[in-house]
């Protein structure tokens, strides 16, 4: 047990597969990470059990909160005080990142499919607009032709009504 800071160039934790058994993937890592809360805090130097000497602003998590989500990361000493093995959080973060990446890739596929549909619909709308314009021109030519021959009748009335209602 060390109280205070440890300064070193590296720390290697044993992780060889030959020392492990019953290996399982971490289930729902993203929801676990999203449930964790990072906080800023100061050590309570008035508490006689606090052995830290650093009075500067700290960053970390609350062990009791972590324990509810990832109990494997929390240790409790003989006095009931809890600590977090922060280096083990990395494994959960890696798996959460991979889960999030899968979601991003799925969303990208959906976006591309939606964009393709949008482009197809734009093309259809443009085609329909061209057809409408051609039909309007045909109706106008027919109406003007009837006007010139003096056979306005119903066409003139229809033309006005259609134009007023926006076709």
């Amino acid at each position: 047990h060390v109280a205070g800071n440890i300064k070193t160039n590296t720390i290697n934790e044993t992780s060889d597969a030959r020392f492990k058994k019953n290996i399982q993937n971490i289930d729902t890592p993203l929801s676990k990470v999203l449930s964790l809360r990072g906080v800023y805090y100061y050590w309570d130097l008035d508490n006689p059990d606090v052995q830290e000497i650093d009075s500067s602003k700290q960053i970390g998590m609350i062990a009791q909160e972590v324990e509810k989500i990832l109990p494997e990361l929390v240790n409790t000493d003989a006095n009931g005080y809890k600590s977090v093995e922060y280096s083990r959080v990395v494994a959960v973060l890696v798996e959460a990142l991979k889960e999030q990446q899968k979601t991003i890739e799925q969303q990208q596929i959906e976006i591309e499919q939606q964009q393709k549909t949008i482009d197809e619909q734009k093309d259809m709308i443009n085609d329909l607009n061209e057809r409408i314009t051609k039909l309007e021109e045909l109706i106008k030519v027919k109406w003007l032709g009837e006007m010139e021959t003096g056979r306005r009748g119903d066409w003139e009335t229809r033309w006005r009504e259609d134009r007023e209602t926006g076709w």
Side-chain angles (χ1 to χ4, degrees):
H1 177 84
V2 175
N5 295 327
I6 297 176
K7 185 174 185 176
T8 181
N9 291 332
T10 63
I11 296 177
N12 289 314
E13 297 180 32
T14 303
S15 189
D16 194 301
R18 295 173 292 180
F19 295 134
K20 300 175 182 183
K21 64 181 184 179
N22 299 328
I23 298 169
Q24 301 171 3
N25 290 332
I26 298 169
D27 63 317
T28 64
L30 185 57
S31 73
K32 287 177 172 59
V33 169
L34 293 174
S35 297
L36 295 173
R37 180 173 71 113
V39 296
Y40 290 110
Y41 64 92
Y42 293 89
W43 291 114
D44 180 5
L45 301 177
D46 295 331
N47 183 331
D49 291 329
V50 172
Q51 298 174 359
E52 306 297 329
I53 56 170
D54 191 348
S55 62
S56 65
K57 188 176 189 179
Q58 305 291 310
I59 188 170
M61 295 183 282
I62 307 299
Q64 287 83 348
E65 294 175 8
V66 174
E67 188 172 39
K68 292 175 185 173
I69 301 158
L70 293 162
E72 305 88 347
L73 303 183
V74 178
N75 293 308
T76 305
D77 70 14
N79 296 322
Y81 291 109
K82 298 183 180 294
S83 60
V84 175
E85 293 186 57
Y86 285 100
S87 64
R88 292 185 179 193
V89 175
V90 172
V92 182
L93 293 174
V94 166
E95 292 304 311
L97 183 63
K98 288 169 25 181
E99 183 179 334
Q100 193 173 52
Q101 186 60 34
K102 281 183 188 176
T103 300
I104 290 168
E105 289 170 1
Q106 289 169 347
Q107 289 173 336
Q108 186 61 40
I109 290 168
E110 289 175 18
I111 288 169
E112 289 169 4
Q113 289 171 342
Q114 290 171 350
Q115 187 60 52
K116 182 180 177 186
T117 300
I118 288 169
D119 291 343
E120 289 170 355
Q121 290 174 342
K122 282 181 180 179
D123 289 342
M124 285 174 44
I125 289 170
N126 288 336
D127 290 345
L128 288 172
N129 281 332
E130 287 176 20
R131 291 175 67 189
I132 289 170
T133 300
K134 288 176 184 176
L135 286 171
E136 286 176 342
E137 288 299 317
L138 287 172
I139 292 170
K140 186 176 178 182
V141 167
K142 182 156 179 96
W143 182 77
L144 290 174
E146 288 184 3
M147 277 190 61
E148 289 174 5
T149 61
R151 297 183 332 203
R152 287 187 265 177
D154 289 336
W155 276 106
E156 184 177 7
T157 305
R158 285 189 207 144
W159 176 259
R160 272 196 216 111
E161 289 171 356
D162 287 347
R163 294 300 290 167
E164 288 171 3
T165 60
W167 296 91

